[in-house]
Amino acid sequence: MKIVIAIDSFKGSATSSELNAATKAGVLEALPEANVVSFEIADGGEGTLSTLHAGLGGDWVTVETVDLLERPCEASYLLVGGQAFIESASVVGIDKITPSPETFEKATTKGLAKLFEDAVAQGAQEIYLTLGGTGTSDGGRGLFEALNGKVSEVKLYGISDVTNVYAGPEGYSIFFGKQKGGTSGQIAAQNESALAFAAKMKTERGIDLQKIPGTGAAGGL
């Protein structure tokens, strides 16, 4: 008998690897002759880079930056040849705060920029950003302003498991704002700003954020 084990992490309790190992031990105790294999998995939130490292290998690179409330912190990304993998939750994860109206206003994605800049300095040609488990709801503005064209020659990819668009009923503010600590008034105001930004992008850049699935992931990141 062949049994495959692939369990996502339990937030704040156990990693995918730990859960797989515990389950494998239990299965083999009951079925010692079974062929048991396990694979780390993740949904784009915390633990995603560990899962990628298990499958791809590569080198860990640690960078000094700031978290979502601009407190000094260190975060690591994965460098595999000319590809860099950055986990947004490692810098701006919701596990780093207690969501409240105050954090809803203050939380920023700007700290991710340091990882992007370092990856480019290390020679990365492609950067993959995992979008999940964040405590931010800034529409990506923090990262956007901090980068300010510094990675214009690099291909950027967002990895997401949701299809929400940028603004509106399915947008990042209305759909995810409450879990990030936003009040109804804050969420409504932020959604208006998101709609305005989406309109600006469509007019000035020809990019319709309302027709691209996933643009509302990770607080619009």
Side-chain angles (χ1 to χ4, degrees):
M1 178 184 295
K2 184 174 184 178
I3 297 175
V4 178
I5 302 171
I7 307 173
D8 197 356
S9 64
F10 290 179
K11 190 184 298 289
S13 301
T15 66
S16 176
S17 177
E18 290 169 341
L19 292 167
N20 287 346
T23 304
K24 182 175 181 177
V27 169
L28 289 176
E29 184 177 346
L31 301 169
E33 302 302 317
N35 176 17
V36 183
V37 295
S38 64
F39 299 91
E40 290 188 42
I41 62 172
D43 64 357
E46 70 289 335
T48 298
L49 286 196
S50 175
T51 298
L52 289 171
H53 183 256
L56 300 176
D59 300 312
W60 291 104
V61 182
T62 301
V63 176
E64 291 186 359
T65 184
V66 294
D67 69 8
L68 64 175
L69 295 184
E70 300 191 61
R71 300 168 297 195
C73 71
E74 288 187 345
S76 299
Y77 66 91
L78 184 63
L79 192 62
V80 185
Q83 298 177 319
F85 297 86
I86 297 173
E87 181 182 298
S88 58
S90 70
V91 178
V92 298
I94 196 169
D95 60 318
K96 302 180 186 303
I97 61 170
T98 299
S100 68
E102 182 180 14
T103 63
F104 186 81
E105 291 289 342
K106 291 183 175 181
T108 174
T109 53
K110 68 182 294 184
L112 287 165
K114 290 293 186 183
L115 280 70
F116 276 70
E117 292 169 15
D118 193 84
V120 172
Q122 295 279 354
Q125 301 298 308
E126 299 177 344
I127 296 178
Y128 295 81
L129 179 66
T130 67
L131 302 168
T134 68
T136 51
S137 189
D138 69 350
R141 179 176 176 176
L143 175 62
F144 185 76
E145 293 179 346
L147 286 177
N148 197 23
K150 295 176 183 176
V151 295
S152 58
E153 301 303 315
V154 178
K155 291 184 177 179
L156 307 180
Y157 298 89
I159 302 176
S160 170
D161 68 342
V162 301
T163 58
N164 298 73
V165 292
Y166 195 75
E170 300 295 312
Y172 72 85
S173 187
I174 292 179
F175 200 86
F176 298 111
K178 189 174 182 179
Q179 73 183 53
K180 305 289 179 73
T183 65
S184 57
Q186 287 175 314
I187 290 169
Q190 191 177 79
N191 182 59
E192 288 301 313
S193 295
L195 288 168
F197 181 74
K200 184 180 180 70
M201 286 291 287
K202 185 175 181 181
T203 300
E204 297 186 3
R205 299 293 183 92
I207 300 172
D208 191 346
L209 297 176
Q210 296 300 90
K211 291 187 177 180
I212 304 175
T215 52
L221 179 56

